[in-house]
Amino acid sequence: MINIIGVGDIMPGGILAGVEQGYVSEGILAMLSQADIRVGTLETAIGNAPHFYKEKMSRKADVIYALDKDISKLLLLNINIVSLANNHFFDLGIEGANHTIDLLDHNGIEHIGAGRNIEEASRAIIKYINGESVAFIAFCDWRDDTVGWCPFATETNPGVNPMFDNYVKTEIKKYKSKYDYVVVMPHWGREHTYMTTNHVYRMARLMIKAGADLILGSHPHRVQPVVNYKKSSVAYSMGNFLFPNRLIVPPRSTYYSNNLVNIHELPVTDGYPFVEELTYKKWKPQALIGMIVCARFFDKRVYSTYNLTEMDECGRITLYDNPKVDKVLYFIKFLLKSTPYAITYFIYKVIRAVKHKSMRLLYKVIEFVRNL
């Protein structure tokens, strides 16, 4: 038996910059301690002297980074492996990307999905646990309507590991032929929706067919279903785990002040606008919900369950019991497993359009089906 825990997106800075304790509940720490391996997506660059990447600044995209000292949060959470395959890894440019890698190496935190070249970006982390082997790899999507722009690693240039169909199949098959299990961490999908996209749904099936045993998705900043398919398991999106609110300055870059700032006196936004002054950037309520996925590996199969987490406005994360979110996830999972994606998406859109009273009736039907 192997126990692996995946958590949602991690950005350890923002309003928690320099905070060393009190931001994670004992219940979460106890749960994390039960795993053999803990993994998550580090969705940020890290550095104390921000030099924003010119190409990123020319686009309409959020610019995110954390300070060096806040790498300590990964150590407190005992995160063993982070995926760097995401659209914010390069927000501090080539120097920032290299610095992030060096800082992780210095602190003994292994990383996948990005590197100084494609050989490093595509390299798997191999773990031997209880007599079996597990390969961890990560990929980043590139579509403008989902993840958006990020540089792909080449033979000579740093960047992320690209998520092209044939390349993904080849890489998964390569590692599956050598090791007992393959864990894939893709950065994909459309932000702020409970429903996965057709492309993500198709890519998940492609990865499973190629030999992926566990898929731990990130990027949407919203939790999406955990689905067990025969011998494999997919968490389409684990939402945000430790990703606190932050300050931003014109045009829309993360900012850290040397002086105490009263956030209650600042203008507030929960979107991704260009700002004209120092602004407090808050998440929308649904983005404060994350997911801890607990995957059990046994007899050449994987079975996953999950627990929800919630991050309050001060950045503190606790275990979270929300039957409404559970029912939404269960219903989407039921559709994904039982109907073609086009029908699933149509039903989902119809449900979103109905009135609140009809939604309550639907939840009762879901509860009845769930208890059969």
Side-chain angles (χ1 to χ4, degrees):
M1 175 78 77
I2 299 173
N3 293 300
I4 293 175
I5 280 182
V7 300
D9 292 345
I10 300 171
M11 198 290 280
I15 60 172
L16 286 183
V19 177
E20 297 181 354
Q21 57 186 358
Y23 55 85
V24 56
S25 73
E26 292 299 323
I28 288 178
L29 291 176
M31 182 176 295
L32 294 177
S33 70
Q34 298 172 10
D36 297 302
I37 297 289
R38 289 151 291 275
V39 301
T41 293
L42 182 63
E43 194 171 14
T44 184
I46 300 179
N48 290 333
H51 296 285
F52 302 124
Y53 196 46
K54 183 178 179 180
E55 179 68 24
K56 184 69 177 279
M57 295 300 290
S58 69
R59 298 167 180 265
K60 297 179 180 179
D62 222 10
V63 177
I64 298 173
Y65 77 101
L67 302 176
D68 286 9
K69 60 188 175 184
D70 290 312
I71 198 77
S72 64
K73 294 182 176 65
L74 295 177
L75 299 175
L76 175 70
L77 295 167
N78 198 15
I79 300 296
N80 308 108
I81 301 172
V82 294
S83 169
L84 301 178
N86 65 80
N87 52 311
H88 291 293
F89 169 67
F90 241 77
D91 282 11
L92 296 183
I94 294 175
E95 290 185 7
N98 290 335
H99 177 73
T100 301
I101 290 172
D102 290 340
L103 193 62
L104 291 168
D105 288 341
H106 178 74
N107 284 276
I109 301 169
E110 296 182 283
H111 46 85
I112 53 176
R116 297 176 178 86
N117 49 54
I118 188 60
E119 189 279 329
E120 187 174 302
S122 63
R123 186 184 304 155
I125 297 296
I126 310 301
K127 294 295 182 181
Y128 296 91
I129 307 167
N130 299 332
E132 294 188 293
S133 55
V134 185
F136 296 84
I137 53 177
F139 304 94
C140 187
D141 199 6
W142 48 272
R143 290 159 178 78
D144 283 338
D145 63 336
T146 54
V147 173
W149 178 85
C150 51
F152 291 152
T154 67
E155 291 184 0
T156 57
N157 296 321
V160 300
N161 201 25
M163 200 172 78
F164 298 117
D165 290 25
N166 289 335
Y167 174 70
V168 168
K169 283 195 297 185
T170 300
E171 289 293 286
I172 293 175
K173 287 181 178 180
K174 177 177 70 177
Y175 288 111
K176 185 64 174 179
S177 68
K178 299 177 180 179
Y179 305 103
D180 295 306
Y181 299 101
V182 176
V183 176
V184 183
M185 299 181 67
H187 202 70
W188 59 8
R190 186 170 291 115
E191 293 183 325
H192 307 298
T193 174
Y194 290 117
M195 185 67 193
T196 187
T197 66
N198 185 41
H199 169 67
V200 166
Y201 176 77
R202 182 184 63 80
M203 282 299 298
R205 293 303 180 96
L206 178 150
M207 290 175 179
I208 290 173
K209 188 174 181 180
D213 297 284
L214 173 64
I215 301 172
L216 298 172
S218 63
H219 177 65
H221 303 298
R222 182 82 65 85
V223 292
Q224 294 178 359
V226 175
V227 182
N228 293 297
Y229 290 107
K230 296 182 179 179
K231 295 183 178 182
S232 302
S233 183
V234 182
Y236 284 101
S237 172
M238 297 181 289
N240 286 332
F241 180 60
L242 181 63
F243 205 136
N245 297 329
R246 61 192 188 278
L247 302 179
I248 57 176
V249 291
R252 74 274 181 211
S253 306
T254 299
Y255 174 74
Y256 296 97
S257 175
N258 293 324
N259 302 312
L260 185 64
V261 175
N262 186 348
I263 59 176
H264 302 292
E265 296 178 350
L266 299 178
V268 177
T269 180
D270 63 2
Y272 293 94
F274 284 77
V275 298
E276 298 181 354
E277 59 183 315
L278 179 62
T279 301
Y280 183 41
K281 170 69 174 68
K282 296 176 58 175
W283 285 110
K284 295 180 179 180
Q286 295 92 336
L288 299 175
I289 301 172
M291 180 182 285
I292 297 175
V293 174
C294 303
R296 296 188 297 278
F297 294 63
F298 58 96
D299 296 333
K300 304 304 180 194
R301 65 175 61 240
V302 179
Y303 185 82
S304 295
T305 58
Y306 72 87
N307 294 88
L308 296 178
T309 64
E310 184 183 41
M311 182 176 59
D312 67 19
E313 190 171 330
C314 297
R316 294 184 293 263
I317 48 176
T318 58
L319 292 172
Y320 183 50
D321 182 19
N322 189 313
K324 183 176 180 180
V325 173
D326 285 332
K327 290 173 183 177
V328 171
L329 296 178
Y330 178 84
F331 186 64
I332 297 174
K333 178 182 74 172
F334 174 77
L335 292 176
L336 289 172
K337 291 190 72 172
S338 60
T339 64
Y341 181 83
I343 297 175
T344 296
Y345 185 72
F346 174 76
I347 294 173
Y348 176 74
K349 295 297 287 186
V350 169
I351 291 172
R352 283 178 57 87
V354 301
K355 295 181 180 180
H356 185 64
K357 288 183 179 179
S358 298
M359 288 293 289
R360 287 207 303 267
L361 176 61
L362 176 64
Y363 288 145
K364 290 180 180 179
V365 173
I366 294 169
E367 193 66 26
F368 174 77
V369 172
R370 194 173 188 177
N371 292 327
L372 288 178

